[in-house]
Amino acid sequence: MVRSLSKLVVLKQDHKLNMKRFVRLAYYEVFNVQPSLLIALAVSALISLFLTLEGSFEITERQLFIMYILGVYFPILIALLTNNGLMREREGHTAAFVCSRVNLGVLWLRRLMLGFFTVAIFMTVLLALMNHLIPGLFPPIFALTLLVPALFFSGIMALVSALSCSTTVGIIAGLFVWLILYFWSPSLYTLFGPRYFPFLEWAFFFRYKAPISALSFNKLFYTITCLLLLAITFCLHQRNRQVERFSRQ
Amino acid sequence: MKIFLRSFTAQWKLFVRDKVNWLFSLLVLVVALVTNPISELPKTTALGYIENIARITGYIACLLFVILYLRFFLNETAKGHNHLWSRNAFGDDYLILKAGVGIAGFLTLISPTVCLTFVLSVAFFGIANALSAIWVWVIILLPPVCFVIGLCSLIGLLINHGLIASGVIVIYLGFVLARPVDLGNLLIFMPSLQMNSALIGFGPETEMLIYQRLFYVCVPLFLLTIAVFITDLRLPRVKPKHSWIAVSAMAVLSVAALSLSVYWGSKLLNLQRLRSVEPNLQTRQNLESACADFQSYRLHLELSADGAIASGLAEVELSSGRDLSALSLLNAGLAVDRFEVRDGDPIRIELQYHGRFVVPYYAYSVYGLPKEIEQIGYAPGAYLEKNLIFLQKLGEWHPYTLCSPDEITLILPADITINYNSADTESIDGDMRRLQWQQASDHILLIAGAKYQIEEQENDQIYLSPNPGLREEDRNEQYGTFFRLMRQHLDDVEGSGFTLIPLPLIKQSFLESQALSLIIPERSRQIDYIWPDDMARYSENVAMDVLLAWWCRQQACPDLAYGLFSRGSGIDYSYEIGEEASEAEEEDTSSLPLLYYAVLKLVEESEVSGFDREALMDSYSSLLRNKLPWLYSPFSFTPKNVETLIMLYDFDLQYGSEAFWDLFLMAYEKANEGWIEKNVLLELIGTLSEQTSGIETGP
């Protein structure tokens, strides 16, 4: 009891967060902690822009290929790269130290949110650029909706990683779910329809020709699922059980 | 060597003791069991079962194993392992050790799945079949795993960051695996096979598969040799001095691996080019009209022991001066040696050819094909391989494919077991067998191969594949039942014996040798589609296949067969009359309800459980009166066809079964290429009604 109280006291040491500090922190978390995410975003942007500008494609092919990348592969790539936001502390044996400065739940959430904030900005700029080059190529709302599948797979990976205290287990679980959902997508689409289909943006342009009306329900459903996954993960980290478990291993 | 083995064992232990790796093993096992439930095992074959499991395991394993292998591969490159790198031996063996342990570790992790499926295979298919399916595991799973390990080793060394390397490789492999499945594509390291047959294994895909697998054994070897060259640059080791011998040996190995990759890759692409030809519909149309000008058409064919055409000669006598040079539809794998035209009356044409018969992809594809291609049925008309040889009278094994030969002489090694032949004369000369046909009337000329088992049942002969499963027995029983019933009603023959031969690749049944032999498709996309969920509908399909074989025994009616079995997408069952076609333009397809009603009668008579003809006909009546919005039917009809169906039902109710079968026989006499006009059918119904009741019914 005394030990946990003292831990709480340490965790309560909070600094005042002004704008300047926040920007510095964000810069550090994005550019220093997650450089691979930026590389992945740059590569995705290059491929998407190439597909937008390549002259040999029909407009429908262009839409299909770009959404295939941004709607199917991009989420798993982002999930892979954001999953080790906190787990790297464990693998670098710095979790106990970090824990003395900041709540692990807060740190994890901050890194995840900053990562997704970066992705959101990237997606907005990319879609705006693509729509500028070919007007009406994609609905602007896709800048937000495309984040949902990425968040969903990140949520799965983060939860399993937090439960198992292993980045690899989380990655395997997330990749496995993605594999199942992707390779069985025709059956899933037939069984559950567009409202529960995880790669809906792709399904709009693929042979399923999903109705755009399904977008709001689909995104609402997956957003709630994501929030649930993230909330559970946050609670797991928040209680700082990880530190005790890390130290046991 | 001793140190290497000790290191290998130590690394393997490290790999196996990592609990995370066993999560992968568990996932593979779960996926294998979920996608191939034990309850469905009796309905498949050992080959089909193992192929399916190995393929699904490969798909899942290749992507997930990337994470595990890279983690293992780059484990010692992280901080804290400097003491290991200070020793030269560790750095020298690092790559080979890791790749070797990767393969051994993968095999260890999938061993629970392999063991369980082996036990299940033994239980359901017998030890012999289970053992023979082991090579399927090896051939399907080992090359992609070697490729993944080779690729991961190279990319892992280059990037030297587990997460980024995983991301790059997973995205690449995901793209490749998601591409349309095609064996001939060099990027596809995990092919999905469309053909697996108890009689001919992977059949037309075997050769492609072997080239593809050899290519994917050589490519990882090349990747690993490249990785060896960059080891010194990328690993945190003390740079040693390499002997020239070692460097030269590695260079030779690298060049050899590259050369072999190019060799197998080019062989694969060449075969793919032959395999991906599409039927030349225009030439087919031209040839059909040209056949009428043939005064005589003689064929002389010599087969070698492995099924290749050692020499083929086609001799044509033509009444008109039609140019036949562009009308040959010879298979893409066969090469023309000589084409000679001798003027005179009649004009004589000789075409000599040889080569290996390649079954084109469209002929056995399980995916929906355009109507024009589906309608031509099994156009190649032959399968020539050492396991099985069969020849249909019309096929791409002779140049004027659609013209019926007047005389065929076939010479083949005498030691090839003949299962069935419709030859007029047969003789053995030394170690060669000579078969001759004069004006062959049967569709199937020859079935030869050592793999059939023949089961005698009273007067009947049933041909079985080497490992007949429950499904095959059920199928044969169904075919046998409907064959007997059909003969009883239509040929007025009861209790006589017959021969039932399942044949791979063909798309519809043939009734041969004075209707005593029924040759059925070993696997039929059209018929197996609904198996095993609904026995009544399955029986309807089998009965239709048997009835169609009888109906089309003297005249080819591919259009009718297509009308009944057009299941390209698995959703659209209907005879594809253009949706926009007006009523006046609509084709008269009255044969469909006539055949279907006859099928319903046969199924009812065979007492198939769950089948209720009256209820079904009530549903059709409701459909016609718009009381039912939709009705599932294996053969969905136009409203006019439903009308005809109801009319036939009323006729049957009123005048009895015997009158219906008389009507059916009379309709057959009036049919043209399998089709009968509705007016003619109505006329027949009127005539028969009068004869049966003795009352005038019409003006």
Side-chain angles (χ1 to χ4, degrees), chain B residues 224-396:
Chain B
L224 281 174
T225 52
I226 297 292
V228 168
F229 282 118
I230 59 166
T231 307
D232 286 350
L233 300 173
R234 303 296 299 159
L235 288 179
R237 61 182 297 205
V238 180
K239 304 287 180 286
K241 273 193 177 178
H242 297 294
S243 71
W244 277 108
I245 296 169
V247 173
S248 313
M250 197 47 71
V252 168
L253 187 64
S254 173
V255 171
L258 181 65
S259 311
L260 282 171
S261 305
V262 172
Y263 175 73
W264 292 119
S266 58
K267 285 203 84 154
L268 182 70
L269 291 176
N270 283 337
L271 194 55
Q272 168 69 0
R273 188 175 47 78
L274 297 177
R275 200 183 68 121
S276 57
V277 291
E278 296 214 334
N280 189 336
L281 298 172
Q282 185 59 49
T283 310
R284 286 181 76 86
Q285 208 176 354
N286 295 341
L287 184 61
E288 260 178 357
S289 60
C291 289
D293 296 335
F294 280 30
Q295 277 189 4
S296 76
Y297 181 28
R298 287 189 297 276
L299 292 167
H300 188 279
L301 201 73
E302 203 172 319
L303 297 182
S304 57
D306 61 350
I309 296 180
S311 93
L313 177 67
E315 293 172 310
V316 181
E317 285 183 355
L318 265 181
S319 54
S320 70
R322 188 187 272 265
D323 180 14
L324 288 186
S325 58
L327 293 184
S328 164
L329 284 170
L330 215 52
N331 182 263
L334 302 175
V336 175
D337 301 322
R338 182 168 64 90
F339 179 77
E340 205 174 294
V341 182
R342 285 186 204 149
D343 288 334
D345 189 24
I347 300 163
R348 289 170 199 279
I349 293 170
E350 280 189 9
L351 194 150
Q352 202 160 11
Y353 56 98
H354 81 283
R356 177 167 287 284
F357 194 86
V358 178
V359 180
Y361 177 71
Y362 74 83
Y364 63 91
S365 167
V366 295
Y367 298 117
L369 294 167
K371 180 183 170 184
E372 295 75 25
I373 298 178
E374 285 281 10
Q375 263 177 327
I376 60 176
Y378 184 65
Y383 183 74
L384 303 171
E385 200 216 45
K386 62 180 176 186
N387 281 339
L388 183 85
I389 291 171
F390 81 80
L391 289 177
Q392 280 177 221
K393 184 174 63 178
L394 304 181
E396 292 170 358

Side-chain angles (χ1 to χ4, degrees), chain A residues 68 73 168 172 176 179 182 184, chain B residues 31 35 63 68 71 174-175 178:
Chain A
Y68 188 47
Y73 285 92
T168 315
I172 287 177
F176 181 72
L179 270 174
Y182 177 61
W184 272 270
Chain B
V31 171
T35 51
L63 284 174
L68 301 183
R71 183 167 168 262
F175 263 117

Side-chain angles (χ1 to χ4, degrees), chain B residues 116-117 253 265 275 341 413 425 529 540 555 560 614 640 658:
Chain B
L116 188 70
T117 49
L253 187 64
R275 200 183 68 121
V341 182
T425 58
Y529 173 67
E540 283 178 28
Q555 50 191 332
L560 177 63
E614 280 177 25
K640 278 187 179 177
E658 205 173 318

Side-chain angles (χ1 to χ4, degrees), chain A residues 35-36 39 47 68-69 73-74 76-77 80-84 88 160 166-173 175-176 178-180 182-184, chain B residues 20-21 23-24 27-28 30-31 35 56 59-61 63-64 67-68 71 161 163-164 166-168 170-171 173-179:
Chain A
S36 48
I39 296 168
I47 296 172
Y68 188 47
I69 289 167
Y73 285 92
F74 189 70
I76 193 67
L77 184 66
L80 268 174
L81 297 176
T82 51
N83 183 45
N84 73 337
R88 61 189 299 140
V160 180
S166 163
T167 321
T168 315
V169 175
I171 289 174
I172 287 177
L175 199 57
F176 181 72
W178 180 81
L179 270 174
I180 299 289
Y182 177 61
F183 284 104
W184 272 270
Chain B
V20 174
N21 294 350
L23 175 71
F24 162 81
L27 289 177
V28 168
V30 168
V31 171
T35 51
I56 287 168
Y59 266 98
I60 301 287
L63 284 174
L64 295 185
I67 310 290
L68 301 183
R71 183 167 168 262
H161 186 291
L163 202 59
I164 298 176
S166 305
V168 170
V170 165
I171 297 293
L173 296 183
F175 263 117
V176 171
L177 287 176
R179 284 170 70 92

Side-chain angles (χ1 to χ4, degrees), chain A:
Chain A
M1 184 67 183
V2 174
R3 264 186 75 188
S4 59
L5 268 175
S6 64
K7 196 176 283 176
L8 277 173
V9 170
V10 173
L11 292 173
K12 292 264 179 181
Q13 288 179 349
D14 206 352
H15 298 282
K16 267 191 178 174
L17 195 66
N18 55 32
M19 196 59 191
K20 194 179 167 190
R21 277 203 67 232
F22 178 77
V23 172
R24 280 173 60 189
L25 188 70
Y27 179 87
Y28 175 80
E29 294 287 12
V30 174
F31 287 89
N32 288 11
V33 180
Q34 303 182 51
S36 48
L37 179 67
L38 296 174
I39 296 168
L41 293 181
V43 172
S44 304
L46 282 175
I47 296 172
S48 302
L49 287 173
F50 167 76
L51 291 171
T52 312
L53 294 169
E54 167 62 45
S56 61
F57 296 133
E58 294 285 324
I59 191 89
T60 47
E61 285 178 318
R62 219 181 284 280
Q63 288 171 322
L64 174 63
F65 295 153
I66 296 173
M67 271 311 124
Y68 188 47
I69 289 167
L70 295 182
V72 180
Y73 285 92
F74 189 70
I76 193 67
L77 184 66
I78 297 301
L80 268 174
L81 297 176
T82 51
N83 183 45
N84 73 337
L86 182 65
M87 298 311 289
R88 61 189 299 140
E89 304 295 350
R90 181 236 161 168
E91 280 150 15
H93 305 285
T94 52
F97 172 70
V98 171
C99 188
S100 66
R101 297 297 175 107
V102 62
N103 186 305
L104 282 184
V106 173
L107 179 68
W108 168 75
L109 201 60
R110 189 170 74 200
R111 285 186 175 169
L112 189 76
M113 286 303 115
L114 279 170
F116 270 85
F117 183 65
T118 315
V119 176
I121 291 172
F122 158 82
M123 203 59 92
T124 310
V125 172
L126 184 65
L127 279 177
L129 198 57
M130 285 194 290
N131 277 343
H132 175 72
L133 292 168
I134 301 175
L137 189 64
F138 295 114
I141 191 72
F142 276 17
L144 278 180
T145 60
L146 280 168
L147 294 178
V148 178
L151 202 58
F152 174 67
F153 291 110
S154 292
I156 293 172
M157 282 193 191
L159 178 63
V160 180
S161 291
L163 283 170
S164 62
C165 296
S166 163
T167 321
T168 315
V169 175
I171 289 174
I172 287 177
L175 199 57
F176 181 72
V177 173
W178 180 81
L179 270 174
I180 299 289
L181 291 177
Y182 177 61
F183 284 104
W184 272 270
S185 58
S187 314
L188 285 175
Y189 192 86
T190 315
L191 272 175
F192 302 112
R195 298 176 95 188
Y196 300 97
F197 192 66
F199 312 111
L200 192 64
E201 288 83 358
W202 171 58
F204 290 137
F205 303 103
F206 192 48
R207 60 184 155 92
Y208 307 127
K209 301 288 176 214
I212 195 89
S213 56
L215 188 71
S216 50
F217 181 90
N218 178 289
K219 293 303 156 191
L220 187 69
F221 171 77
Y222 277 101
T223 307
I224 292 170
T225 313
C226 290
L227 289 176
L228 198 68
L229 290 171
L230 296 180
I232 299 169
T233 314
F234 180 75
C235 290
L236 283 170
H237 289 307
Q238 175 80 355
R239 291 185 184 186
N240 289 331
R241 281 185 189 152
Q242 302 305 319
V243 177
E244 291 169 37
R245 291 168 73 185
F246 293 161
S247 58
R248 276 206 298 271
Q249 287 178 21

